[in-house]
Amino acid sequence: MSDTAKPKPAAASRANTKKELPEHLKAYKHVWVMVELERGVVHPVSWELMGEGRKLADQLKVDLAAVVLGPPGGTEAAVTDAFGYGADVCYLVENNSLADYRNEPYTAAMTELVNTYKPEILLLGATNLGRDLAGSVATTLLTGLTADCTELAVDAEGSLAATRPTFGGSLLCTIFTLNYRPQMATMRPRVAPMPLYRAGRSGRIQRHEVSLPEESIVTKLIDFLPDGTTGKANLPYADIVVSGGLGMQTAENYQLVRDLAAVLGAEWGGSRPLVQKGWITSDRQIGQTGKTIRPRLYIAAGISGAIQHRVGVEGADLIVAINTDKNAPIFDFAHVGIVADAMKVLPALTEAFRKRLAPAAMRPAAE
Amino acid sequence: MHIVVCIKQVPDSAQIRVHPVTNTIMRQGVPTIINPYDLFSLEEALRLRDRNGGEVTCVTMGPPMAESALRKCMTYGADRAVLLTDRFFAGADTLATTYALAHLVTKVTEHWGAPDIVFCGKQTIDGDTAQVGPGIAKRLGLLQLTYVQKIEHCDLAAREIVVHRRAEGGIQVLKAKLPCLVTMLEGTNDMRRGTMEDAFRAARAEIVTWSAAQAQIPDLAFCGLKGSPTIVKKVFAPPPRAEKAFQIGVEGKTAGDISETLVAEIFKRQPGLEQDLTKSAGADF
Ligand SMILES: Cc1cc2nc3c(=O)[nH]c(=O)nc-3n(C[C@H](O)[C@H](O)[C@H](O)COP(=O)(O)OP(=O)(O)OC[C@H]3O[C@@H](n4cnc5c(N)ncnc54)[C@H](O)[C@@H]3O)c2cc1C
Ligand SMILES: Nc1ncnc2c1ncn2[C@@H]1O[C@H](COP(=O)(O)O)[C@@H](O)[C@H]1O
């Protein structure tokens, strides 16, 4: 029984109740974005959210604030970038206990900030860190949280309208948090575009001390095993993605997708059934329950274009679809289509790109 | 050792159809399954029990028919199952869901002892929020270990647990104390088949079923739709894109011809891409 499973008539009737915010909640103002700083690196989803937060703050005519939590001396770049990406204010907590993400100190710091400075909207990335933290913070504050939003807006009355797919993406629903503050939402990486960076832009830094003695924290980080840099898929931030679906028919044929990806220096991925069949690993699944991608070029071979797949690729600049069925739903949202057998087109396409991209000196003399 | 596993019965959404006219979900006749992510947690719980001895209690909050999902858990080897079912819980969002589930765990504790570990799935395939686990942990004051790839060790005497947790850019090896709440990452184990003995036991077993009153849920105002701070105002189908894909003609052409036309079309639409690609291709030689 999740937020999406509400019986409709009841929801509809409540939706019409005119809301008057209780007096003690009127003090909640401004839009906050949690800046996810892990091991010295800010997850880009924080800046994507900063872009969305900027729009909300402008509409509400309030400030946009960044929340930066980290170890002493380890937050400077994150703070500078937060202003560059649009924050007016930065709430900064520096503490040795915040050196690595752990739920306990992060929840304590975040809830204390919220209770002290009272934001009306709090946005976090729907990453492992963001999801781990958001659930704890929302439950501590006893407020509403809308997870994995695809769109954030402010309605005429100034309430946050958070839209997310429901039931695996067949439909979208818009969710409100009325009579509770802050209104919390998470958004997945690459759902929103990266905002422009304005170097030299600055703002007010509000430092806040939180007492987080290490002895009081039970969870200890005893090791960190970094991922190898090779062989690790990074589809969300790839420039070009080539993918295959069940139309590839066999695991062997899927090699054609990888061949094309290799020529383009692209990432390769696929639809969910390929993960279930074991042709690709789950970090290469594209769509609602996989990765959301935003490449400059997306080439989909033998994919029907189910809504769960569509929501993960709609942010691509150019979508090319190869499918034998001219009525496949993918042609409803692809920009360029080819009604043909992927097993024939993919090798030819790989060859065509190879020829076109080879430096002049390397081209066969006959050309 | 006592382990509680929170499972949810969900519609097998691969088979969900949306009504073309009313845009509502046609749930009639859609088969239900145990939320697939929960099975990784259940299997991990069963392994811990097999190693350390003790009991696994599966719990769920849902409609009466969720009993079948719990019975299925018993065929896998769970020792007992508890269903919390009441109309007061209908329409719960994550906050209201965790209120009821946290009290359910408390009630289970009164009957069968405090759990050393509470397991949840990483997320559900219908709610898909990944928030219920952290919410339960917070309400019960349990440490939470989410996105766990591996339980490296679990020492009951020392009350200590070490896990590998998936983080950005690598794996955190975390040491914490029991009791705690764990959510397992998908693909970390394979659900066992369950023995014949378990199947017979499950078929005959009584699924403990409690109403809100029987579970002594303290305040119904925090349950269901009433206790949910979030409100679904609108459900709608995603709007179609204005125009259909531009089709590259294929009639009477070879795959080679088609491909060259496509490459030209791609670079016409994304000129910057060609420059970048030629640059990086050149760099490789
Ligand atoms: C809760 C939920 C979450 C989901 N999440 C995701 C997700 O994240 N990502 C995802 O992708 N799916 C997801 N799905 C599954 C989704 O609904 C579809 O089932 C899936 O995307 C279909 O994969 P497909 O297009 O590869 O296969 P199909 O739908 O079987 O399509 C195969 C296509 O290949 C074409 N074809 C056949 N032969 C050839 C050929 N020789 N050359 C070219 N084309 C050919 C066919 O015309 C057809 O259009 C989810 C489903 C649910 C219920
Ligand atoms: N109604 C429920 N009954 C029991 N467990 C649940 C219920 N809803 C969610 N859970 C647990 O919480 C996890 C996360 O769910 P969600 O936050 O909906 O993605 C699930 O994998 C289950 O383990």
Side-chain angles (χ1 to χ4, degrees), chain A residues 1, chain B residues 6-8 35 38 59-61 97 101 120-121 123-124 128-133:
Chain A
M1 275 183 229
Chain B
C6 299
I7 64 116
K8 189 181 181 191
N35 176 39
D38 298 348
V59 303
T60 195
M61 174 184 92
T97 298
L101 286 174
C120 278
Q123 66 196 72
T124 52
D128 191 21
T129 76
Q131 300 300 340
V132 167

Side-chain angles (χ1 to χ4, degrees), chain B residues 6-252:
Chain B
C6 299
I7 64 116
K8 189 181 181 191
Q9 185 180 52
V10 295
D12 186 355
S13 38
Q15 305 188 39
I16 285 192
R17 292 284 169 269
V18 175
H19 193 281
V21 179
T22 59
N23 259 337
T24 50
I25 291 148
M26 306 196 296
R27 275 206 254 193
Q28 288 90 337
V30 175
T32 57
I33 50 172
I34 300 172
N35 176 39
Y37 292 102
D38 298 348
L39 294 179
F40 301 107
S41 286
L42 176 57
E43 173 61 25
E44 206 60 33
L46 294 171
R47 288 184 188 183
L48 283 171
R49 178 208 58 190
D50 292 347
R51 221 172 303 142
N52 298 304
E55 293 181 322
V56 170
T57 305
C58 287
V59 303
T60 195
M61 174 184 92
M65 71 174 195
E67 189 203 289
S68 62
L70 289 171
R71 203 172 288 282
K72 181 89 189 162
C73 292
M74 294 194 69
T75 68
Y76 290 128
D79 298 279
R80 120 175 16 90
V82 182
L83 168 65
L84 179 63
T85 184
D86 209 306
R87 64 192 168 83
F88 294 112
F89 301 128
D93 72 356
T94 46
L95 195 71
T97 298
T98 59
Y99 179 80
L101 286 174
H103 281 290
L104 177 58
V105 174
T106 306
K107 195 72 197 159
V108 164
T109 301
E110 280 172 27
H111 280 260
W112 299 287
D116 301 291
I117 303 180
V118 175
F119 276 101
C120 278
K122 182 184 102 169
Q123 66 196 72
T124 52
I125 60 166
D126 60 346
D128 191 21
T129 76
Q131 300 300 340
V132 167
I136 294 173
K138 180 49 68 189
R139 288 185 182 274
L140 291 174
L142 298 173
L143 295 170
Q144 88 186 35
L145 300 165
T146 54
Y147 307 102
V148 170
Q149 208 166 49
K150 182 171 140 193
I151 298 184
E152 189 167 280
H153 94 178
C154 174
D155 185 336
L156 287 176
R159 309 297 295 157
E160 202 172 86
I161 182 167
V162 176
V163 302
H164 288 205
R165 171 177 188 273
R166 164 86 0 236
E168 205 56 45
I171 303 289
Q172 288 185 322
V173 183
L174 292 171
K175 183 157 88 176
K177 290 273 177 203
L178 301 178
C180 63
L181 182 137
V182 174
T183 77
M184 296 300 295
L185 217 53
E186 68 274 18
T188 44
N189 57 36
D190 290 312
M191 177 43 86
R192 63 191 58 197
R193 301 194 54 167
T195 62
M196 283 304 268
E197 211 177 299
D198 285 325
F200 285 130
R201 193 176 48 88
R204 284 192 308 263
E206 180 216 2
I207 305 292
V208 181
T209 304
W210 286 334
S211 65
Q214 285 166 325
Q216 292 174 301
I217 303 295
D219 192 343
L220 293 180
F222 292 117
C223 295
L225 194 59
K226 224 166 150 197
S228 298
T230 61
I231 289 174
V232 179
K233 270 210 183 175
K234 194 170 89 174
V235 179
F236 59 102
R241 195 168 260 178
E243 59 205 274
K244 282 207 142 207
F246 166 80
Q247 292 287 352
I248 302 230
V250 293
E251 234 23 79

Side-chain angles (χ1 to χ4, degrees), chain A residues 89-257:
Chain A
V89 184
C90 178
Y91 292 98
L92 177 62
V93 184
E94 287 192 328
N95 192 300
N96 282 323
S97 296
L98 299 171
D100 283 284
Y101 176 75
R102 284 173 298 167
N103 180 272
E104 294 169 76
Y106 270 68
T107 302
M110 187 55 118
T111 38
E112 180 167 326
L113 283 180
V114 168
N115 286 330
T116 312
Y117 301 101
K118 305 190 184 339
E120 59 192 301
I121 293 175
L122 171 56
L123 309 176
L124 300 94
T127 56
N128 285 7
L129 190 161
R131 288 172 142 200
D132 186 273
L133 181 61
S136 302
V137 171
T139 312
T140 311
L141 299 168
L142 297 176
T143 190
L145 165 64
T146 308
D148 282 33
C149 301
T150 51
E151 203 183 318
L152 298 170
V154 169
D155 78 349
E157 294 166 70
S159 301
L160 179 67
T163 299
R164 75 189 300 267
T166 164
F167 285 99
S170 335
L171 292 171
L172 297 167
C173 63
T174 304
I175 297 177
F176 289 77
T177 297
L178 305 177
N179 296 330
Y180 297 83
R181 290 294 180 268
Q183 307 159 84
M184 290 179 61
T186 64
M187 190 179 246
R188 290 171 45 176
R190 296 303 254 172
V191 168
M194 194 76 168
L196 275 183
Y197 184 77
R198 305 219 326 259
R201 201 177 165 281
S202 72
R204 180 168 67 88
I205 298 178
Q206 175 74 56
R207 283 185 174 271
H208 190 90
E209 295 295 325
V210 183
S211 163
L212 302 165
E214 186 57 47
E215 316 82 75
S216 69
I217 302 166
V218 181
T219 315
K220 305 290 177 201
L221 181 84
I222 54 179
D223 202 358
F224 188 86
L225 316 169
D227 295 327
T229 40
T230 49
K232 189 87 180 83
N234 189 6
L235 271 72
Y237 291 91
D239 243 8
I240 306 178
V241 176
V242 186
S243 82
L246 275 183
M248 296 306 296
Q249 291 153 9
T250 65
E252 290 70 47
N253 287 344
Y254 184 81
Q255 183 58 35
L256 301 175
V257 170

Side-chain angles (χ1 to χ4, degrees), chain B residues 246-266:
Chain B
F246 166 80
Q247 292 287 352
I248 302 230
V250 293
E251 234 23 79
K253 291 202 195 141
T254 66
D257 294 342
I258 298 169
S259 296
E260 299 205 351
T261 316
L262 176 58
V263 170
E265 185 65 31
I266 288 172

